[in-house]
Amino acid sequence: MIEISGISRSFGDRLVLDDVSFGVEGGRMTGFVGANGAGKTTTMRILLGVLSADRGAVSLDGTELTAADRARFGYMPEERGLYPKMAVLDQLVYLGRLHGMSTGAARTSANELLVRLGLAERAGDTLESLSLGNQQRAQIAAALVHEPIALVLDEPFSGLDPMAVEVVLGVLQDFAANGAPVLFSSHQLDIVERLCDDVVVIGGGKIRAQGSREGLRAEHAGRVFELDLAGAAADAGWVREQPGVSVTHLDGGFARFEADSEAAAQAVLALAVQQESTAVRSFAPVTPSLAQIFQEVIR
């Protein structure tokens, strides 16, 4: 597990990170989200040792990170750094060799990644000859070629079409499934919500929310419920008359309502079950999307 503890960092008089703390567990995908300038990239650079912190520490499995540990991480910066005029396979092998791999091992790893990422036919092409989406795939291969113990990716899905997103998702999920911690930032909240086990939200240099994806959704759910009745003459209009309930949407046998207590919501369900002419098709609390949670916590 990677643990970021009490990290603060200023640039001149501007405080960019203010006591930032969160963990990235092994075998889990952690999404790191925030608006531009929120502190995501600065946090990642401190984690990787590219920048130093004014205060705080970063540890791996309870021990403070060393340069040797960081050399075994896979990192994809937001600013792309591969050589534009070098063949894709050649530079992946070169990067593997820089991380201590033999030429044979680096070539094997590079070829396997190019196949998985759909770039095998472009292995001999220069990076600058690839589309932006394929350049992004090559960048991800560069972060993985040396078989790292952890992954830190800054906007890995930028510029990818939906099909490429699915390919990259599969590769990252397999990597995490082997027990490695994976941290990535993204502005694409729908992808974060679908992919991540855990989510960390940063705003103004402070952590605004963190936890498992489902835990955060439950925490911010409130007391909004949806009732859907089945039946030819289904009518949920009676819900408006129930105490402690405010209906926000009504359409035939469907009602969305806010309840001032769990008991009030359960009373609606009990009455729905008692209806002789209709049956309850579904009854459930409405859980917010990650985008809704994000808007709520950064206000």
Side-chain angles (χ1 to χ4, degrees), residues 93-295:
V93 173
Y94 172 68
L95 291 171
R97 295 281 291 122
L98 287 180
H99 281 280
M101 302 178 80
S102 69
T103 300
R107 186 171 295 276
T108 297
S109 177
N111 279 316
E112 289 176 353
L113 283 167
L114 291 176
V115 169
R116 294 206 59 198
L117 290 164
L119 287 176
E121 294 182 357
R122 308 300 301 272
D125 296 345
T126 61
L127 187 78
E128 66 182 3
S129 70
L130 305 183
S131 67
L132 292 178
N134 281 339
Q135 289 183 28
Q136 188 78 341
R137 296 192 204 198
Q139 292 280 352
I140 292 166
L144 287 163
V145 68
H146 59 291
E147 301 172 353
I149 61 173
L151 268 183
V152 180
L153 309 173
D154 203 350
E155 294 290 344
F157 301 103
S158 177
L160 296 181
D161 61 41
M163 185 175 295
V165 166
E166 293 303 317
V167 170
V168 172
L169 286 181
V171 172
L172 297 183
Q173 286 172 326
D174 288 348
F175 180 82
N178 289 326
V182 178
L183 175 69
F184 74 88
S185 70
S186 179
H187 286 96
Q188 296 162 278
L189 297 181
D190 58 329
I191 293 177
V192 175
E193 186 161 28
R194 182 157 56 98
L195 174 63
C196 286
D197 303 295
D198 302 305
V199 179
V200 178
V201 182
I202 189 170
K206 296 182 178 181
I207 300 302
R208 305 295 183 177
Q210 60 178 304
S212 70
R213 176 185 56 194
E214 296 308 318
L216 283 175
R217 294 183 70 187
E219 179 184 341
H220 293 268
R223 290 197 179 98
V224 180
F225 296 82
E226 289 183 346
L227 171 68
D228 191 11
L229 301 176
D235 182 2
W238 55 267
V239 176
R240 290 178 295 193
E241 302 169 5
Q242 304 312 305
V245 167
S246 175
V247 174
T248 58
H249 181 77
L250 183 65
D251 183 9
F254 175 85
R256 181 183 296 115
F257 63 91
E258 296 180 6
D260 62 12
S261 68
E262 183 69 24
Q266 292 303 317
V268 170
L269 175 59
L271 283 172
V273 171
Q274 294 171 16
Q275 302 292 315
E276 295 183 357
S277 60
T278 60
V280 176
R281 180 182 286 120
S282 66
F283 177 82
V286 177
T287 54
S289 68
L290 179 57
Q292 291 170 320
I293 294 170
F294 179 80
Q295 291 296 327

Side-chain angles (χ1 to χ4, degrees), residues 58-116:
V58 183
S59 61
L60 176 66
D61 297 331
T63 303
E64 189 166 353
L65 273 179
T66 65
D69 293 326
R70 288 181 167 104
R72 299 175 65 199
F73 280 23
Y75 178 43
M76 190 179 102
E78 187 175 14
E79 302 83 6
R80 307 311 179 221
L82 297 183
Y83 302 108
K85 298 186 180 300
M86 191 174 183
V88 174
L89 176 60
D90 289 345
Q91 58 186 309
L92 292 180
V93 173
Y94 172 68
L95 291 171
R97 295 281 291 122
L98 287 180
H99 281 280
M101 302 178 80
S102 69
T103 300
R107 186 171 295 276
T108 297
S109 177
N111 279 316
E112 289 176 353
L113 283 167
L114 291 176
V115 169
R116 294 206 59 198

